[in-house]
Amino acid sequence: MAKSKREAVDKTTEQKIKEAAQQVFTQKGYAATRTRDIAEAAGINLALLNYYFRSKEKLFEIIMMEKLARFFGTVAPLFDDPSTTLDQKISAVAEGYIDMLLQSPDLPLFVLSEIRANPERFLSKIPLAKVLESDFFRQLKTIRPDLHPVHFMMNIVSLSVFPFIMKPVLESAGIVTPKTFETIARERKKLIPQWISAMLKP
Amino acid sequence: MAKSKREAVDKTTEQKIKEAAQQVFTQKGYAATRTRDIAEAAGINLALLNYYFRSKEKLFEIIMMEKLARFFGTVAPLFDDPSTTLDQKISAVAEGYIDMLLQSPDLPLFVLSEIRANPERFLSKIPLAKVLESDFFRQLKTIRPDLHPVHFMMNIVSLSVFPFIMKPVLESAGIVTPKTFETIARERKKLIPQWISAMLKP
DNA sequence: GTCTATAACCTGATAGAC
DNA sequence: GTCTATCAGGTTATAGAC
């Protein structure tokens, strides 16, 4: 009883470590992260990290799986929803990505970098090839049979995600402030569907 | 004489190290790279690396500066060319990026990751804020005064560059083969200007 | 469960022979 | 210029006290 009360208010140590690990891993990447940094960020001792998660590697595996699920899993189902029109899918994907990335701006650079460092290891977990037979591809082929559907999938994801990859550059260079970046990102939720729609007209 | 003859045929040791360093750094990033890996890839000894370039840090600095120049320097001047129309600028940027990235597909992920790890250090070298007063922005403001010009700059760069960032994912997942990726990338040199043109119509 | 102290290992860099 | 051998420092992981 006393214990469950504590858990409801404070975070468990395991939870504190996981949250610190997320933060440090996504910001610096696996190789540049030291377990000491995570321990310090979690406000605990280094030994405790190995007590809960046997190794840096194991801890990373857990974080990475969650991040992969978040990055791919949030929008992947939208592509294969048979109850939506093409326009609805496009809006749903753009909004889904932008809303998510406004909360986790450095998710894409982290996930894509770590995949690149170890493609076979992580991609085997996620059945991405499904998009080839998705409702989305089927709809694209009927409306624009002259172009490979991958073009438009790339376009939607590019326009939604890449601004967040450029964010550190744009802000450090003084081209946008964090405030205007956020405004622009929000505007794009409505703009991207309009733009894609214009692209789809032959 | 004998020496200059050798240099014309074989590569100098310094050159071999630099090429190996480029390859390993861009593939694994600074933190995950071991100087031993570079030495091995160059076919030389670890001590020799420190003989030519005092440290891993110094060697990385050299490589990074070249990559920054390549990634930003190739297209940045095109944005501020007063002799070209807006449509010409768009075509030049898309073609410039895609042609470059077909040769160096992992340049973007490398450059953007390392900038993120150390924004102030690298961005201070490159005067990106110039784009705010560029001919490109000026032209955009006259044609679409209702939208921030950064939207369209993001769009052109996103559509050109992001496919190369997704390349490892798309290929490992079996969505495209390396061959079809290249075909698609080439097609985009003509498609992107058409798409941007369609976007710009109010 | 949590800590301090330390072991075991790895990596960048140098010394010194050739 | 190039190598082998080694040092110095830092990092992960564990042993053992509390």
Side-chain angles (χ1 to χ4, degrees), chain A residues 34-36 55-56:
Chain A
R34 291 170 308 169
T35 50
R36 282 170 165 77
S55 67
K56 176 185 178 182

Side-chain angles (χ1 to χ4, degrees), chain A residues 159-178:
Chain A
L159 293 173
S160 307
V161 174
F162 194 69
F164 289 88
I165 293 183
M166 293 213 299
K167 187 173 190 280
V169 173
L170 296 173
E171 290 184 356
S172 298
I175 294 171
V176 299
T177 63

Side-chain angles (χ1 to χ4, degrees), chain B residues 68-82:
Chain B
L68 281 175
R70 190 167 162 77
F71 187 69
F72 292 107
T74 311
V75 298
L78 304 173
F79 282 119
D80 202 28
D81 183 343

Side-chain angles (χ1 to χ4, degrees), chain B:
Chain B
M1 172 90 97
K3 198 189 169 202
S4 59
K5 205 171 179 183
R6 267 194 75 258
E7 282 173 357
V9 180
D10 304 343
K11 293 166 193 159
T12 67
T13 301
E14 189 175 346
Q15 197 57 26
K16 281 195 291 187
I17 296 173
K18 272 186 66 174
E19 285 175 19
Q22 280 192 56
Q23 201 251 315
V24 181
F25 275 139
T26 52
Q27 202 194 325
K28 319 220 289 186
Y30 176 76
T33 295
R34 290 171 307 170
T35 50
R36 283 170 166 78
D37 296 336
I38 298 175
E40 192 187 357
I44 52 98
N45 191 274
L46 172 60
L48 215 46
L49 186 149
N50 288 290
Y51 172 77
Y52 280 101
F53 308 87
R54 294 196 10 106
S55 67
K56 176 185 179 184
E57 191 69 22
K58 293 267 204 323
L59 175 54
F60 177 73
E61 185 90 9
I62 293 169
I63 303 296
M64 185 64 180
M65 286 307 143
E66 292 182 5
K67 296 297 174 189
L68 281 175
R70 190 167 162 77
F71 187 69
F72 292 107
T74 311
V75 298
L78 304 173
F79 282 119
D80 202 28
D81 183 343
S83 74
T84 53
T85 65
L86 184 56
D87 285 346
Q88 287 170 333
K89 284 187 181 63
I90 293 164
S91 289
V93 170
E95 284 188 35
Y97 261 130
I98 291 174
D99 281 335
M100 182 210 308
L101 296 180
L102 280 168
Q103 294 173 338
S104 319
D106 40 50
L107 186 62
L109 205 43
F110 168 72
V111 168
L112 295 170
S113 293
E114 299 299 337
I115 286 177
R116 187 180 187 298
N118 233 320
E120 64 294 339
R121 177 178 171 197
F122 297 120
L123 283 176
S124 56
K125 316 270 181 172
I126 296 192
L128 275 178
K130 276 181 29 180
V131 298
L132 287 170
E133 301 121 36
S134 66
D135 204 49
F136 177 68
F137 267 36
R138 197 184 49 68
Q139 288 167 324
L140 282 174
K141 277 177 207 154
T142 58
I143 198 171
R144 285 302 296 264
D146 55 323
L147 289 177
H148 198 305
V150 160
H151 273 301
F152 295 103
M153 193 202 65
M154 278 177 173
N155 292 352
I156 297 168
V157 180
S158 298
L159 293 173
S160 307
V161 174
F162 194 69
F164 290 89
I165 293 183
M166 293 213 297
K167 186 173 190 279
V169 174
L170 297 172
E171 291 184 356
S172 298
I175 295 172
V176 298
T177 63
K179 184 84 182 161
T180 58
F181 181 86
E182 195 179 323
T183 304
I184 286 175
R186 288 189 199 288
E187 288 172 0
R188 292 176 78 81
K189 289 197 280 182
K190 281 191 189 130
L191 290 168
I192 290 170
Q194 294 171 13
W195 288 332
I196 300 281
S197 188
M199 285 179 184
L200 280 168
K201 294 196 182 102

